[in-house]
Amino acid sequence: MRVLVPLISKKEADEKFVERVATKAKEIILLLVVDTEAMSGQFGFAAGEIAQANALMQQVKNAVGRKRKTCEDIIEWGNTARKIEHLAQLRGVDKICLVKQDNQFFKKLLQDMRKKLPKIEIEVVKLEEEK
């Protein structure tokens, strides 16, 4: 199974999330979209956060490597939703895994993906809130 993991919540390096993604996956594609129109700090990565984004991508890649799964990382510039949709179609992914977020941008992204990518399974993983 080929799984696409867009790095949009900044929590994708969480052990529980990586474990969930790696289960049944043969290949994992990490997608980092530098979206200059994204709301900085709340959804996706803005241009000024590239170093932080690269560090997160490396953390996730290392965690996936420990699970002995093939992992590829891709950095794209542009609109987050469009880049996810295009890459999912180009790479023929079977599943997209996302960390659940409670904001309007995430809800809209999820709604759009389910509409535009009806044949791809979309899994939203809820992480426990830190107290």
Side-chain angles (χ1 to χ4, degrees):
M1 176 181 287
R2 185 174 290 163
V3 180
L4 174 62
V5 179
L7 305 178
I8 58 174
S9 76
K10 303 178 186 174
K11 297 177 184 174
E12 286 81 9
D14 184 277
E15 270 185 57
K16 291 176 185 169
F17 181 73
V18 172
E19 181 69 37
R20 186 75 171 262
V21 169
T23 304
K24 298 183 183 177
K26 182 176 181 182
E27 179 184 355
I28 297 170
I29 302 167
L30 303 177
L31 174 63
L32 171 67
V33 180
V34 180
D35 189 341
T36 55
E37 296 176 11
M39 240 180 84
S40 179
Q42 292 186 24
F43 187 77
F45 289 92
E49 301 173 305
I50 294 173
Q52 178 190 3
N54 278 325
L56 174 65
M57 182 173 273
Q58 194 58 49
Q59 285 178 333
V60 177
K61 194 171 182 179
N62 291 341
V64 168
R66 288 191 294 273
K67 302 289 182 193
R68 297 196 169 130
K69 303 291 180 175
T70 302
C71 184
E72 178 182 1
D73 57 327
I74 299 171
I75 299 176
E76 291 277 343
W77 286 74
N79 178 277
T80 301
R82 280 195 292 269
K83 293 296 179 179
I84 293 170
E85 291 164 17
H86 293 164
L87 191 67
Q89 292 168 337
L90 282 170
R91 294 298 182 94
V93 301
D94 303 297
K95 184 180 195 176
I96 299 173
C97 285
L98 302 161
V99 172
K100 182 174 177 34
Q101 296 179 66
D102 192 24
N103 62 55
Q104 65 185 6
F105 300 102
F106 181 76
K107 291 172 185 170
K108 173 123 177 61
L109 174 70
L110 200 55
Q111 181 181 17
D112 290 347
M113 283 193 322
R114 287 189 168 136
K115 185 173 148 186
K116 294 177 181 176
L117 303 168
K119 294 180 180 176
I120 297 175
E121 178 185 350
I122 298 171
E123 181 177 357
V124 178
V125 178
K126 182 177 180 184
L127 300 177
E128 295 166 15
E129 296 295 319
E130 295 179 23
K131 294 180 182 176

